[in-house]
Amino acid sequence: MASRKRGSRTRKRRSDPGQLNLFDTPGEKAPVRAKSAAPLRVKTKRLTAAAREQSVILSPREAAAYLRVAVSTLKSWRAKKIGPKWMRRGARLVCYFPEDLDAFLRRGARDPDKP
């Protein structure tokens, strides 16, 4: 018995937009679909040393750039409670203070299992 792909009957055929329909007259052109615009991409700004010094509170992205680690690494450190001191502002906003990041760099990373 020949196997049949599932859902083959429910697929619609993709037709050429320039091809005539069954109900079109030969002198009439088929409507051409307009292409949708591509989503805009937002460029992220790179932080300069002066921009880092001006801000008192750092976002996780800025803190990761300051420590030269990935943002996911900071998130993992927060979960394991081994990273730099952080503070929650509101329900989801996590922030870091530059003094705490400097203190973390001076003392080094610690293992949560060892006292």
Side-chain angles (χ1 to χ4, degrees):
M1 182 181 342
S3 63
R4 185 181 236 180
K5 291 183 181 179
R6 289 186 142 183
S8 62
R9 287 186 277 168
T10 59
R11 288 190 210 152
K12 291 184 180 179
R13 284 186 169 174
R14 295 183 182 181
S15 63
D16 183 22
Q19 186 178 2
L20 292 177
N21 234 348
L22 203 107
F23 300 106
D24 292 338
T25 59
E28 184 180 322
K29 288 187 178 178
V32 178
R33 295 181 190 168
K35 292 183 179 180
S36 62
L40 297 176
R41 293 185 180 181
V42 179
K43 292 184 179 180
T44 57
K45 295 181 181 177
R46 293 189 180 203
L47 294 175
T48 61
R52 280 191 219 140
E53 292 173 2
Q54 288 176 353
S55 118
V56 177
I57 297 173
L58 300 176
S59 69
R61 181 179 287 167
E62 294 168 335
Y66 187 84
L67 295 174
R68 295 184 180 170
V69 296
V71 177
S72 59
T73 302
L74 281 179
K75 186 176 180 179
S76 174
W77 285 349
R78 283 195 305 266
K80 295 176 185 176
K81 299 181 181 173
I82 59 171
K85 187 176 173 184
W86 58 278
M87 184 176 170
R88 189 178 297 274
R89 296 177 54 102
R92 296 182 181 185
L93 185 63
V94 174
C95 65
Y96 295 89
F97 292 101
E99 303 84 33
D100 297 332
L101 297 177
D102 291 333
F104 172 73
L105 289 174
R106 279 193 297 273
R107 77 165 191 245
R110 294 185 181 173
D111 190 11
D113 299 331
K114 295 182 181 178

